[in-house]
């Protein structure tokens, strides 16, 4: 079964982050906090205002997934 967290982490893997390590997760977290919202969509950014709006809505969900994964890894 796929959870929203696993889907979000898969998205970050596709963007080139190793979500199985603290280093990769911390890099993804930094990127999520600083990147243009257009980059938070699948594919290349197009500058489309709708994609930017949706990217901004996705940002907190993606950050929450990464923070949860970091917490989980630190417990292991």
């Amino acid at each position: 079964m796929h959870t929203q967290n696993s889907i979000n982490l898969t998205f970050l893997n596709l963007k080139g982050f190793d979500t199985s390590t603290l280093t990769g997760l911390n890099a993804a977290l930094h990127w999520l906090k600083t990147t243009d919202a257009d980059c938070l969509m699948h594919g290349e950014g197009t500058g489309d205002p709708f994609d930017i709006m949706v990217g901004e809505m996705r940002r907190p969900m993606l950050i929450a997934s990464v923070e949860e994964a970091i917490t989980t890894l630190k417990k292991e």
Side-chain angles (χ1 to χ4, degrees):
M1 181 172 125
H2 295 289
T3 65
Q4 188 61 50
N5 280 346
S6 69
I7 292 167
N8 289 342
L9 295 177
T10 298
F11 168 77
L12 291 167
N13 277 318
L14 294 171
K15 290 290 187 177
F17 296 98
D18 181 359
T19 58
S20 67
T21 68
L22 283 176
T23 301
L25 288 167
N26 283 318
L29 186 59
H30 174 75
W31 179 76
L32 287 168
K33 290 179 177 180
T34 60
T35 196
D36 188 277
D38 202 18
C39 297
L40 300 177
M41 303 298 291
H42 290 278
E44 296 298 317
T46 62
D48 181 274
F50 181 77
D51 286 349
I52 293 168
M53 180 186 72
V54 174
E56 283 298 350
M57 291 188 311
R58 289 188 75 200
R59 188 185 309 269
M61 293 181 281
L62 291 163
I63 288 171
S65 293
V66 170
E67 288 174 339
E68 184 175 316
I70 288 170
T71 300
T72 300
L73 271 182
K74 285 183 176 179
K75 289 180 182 177
E76 292 178 355

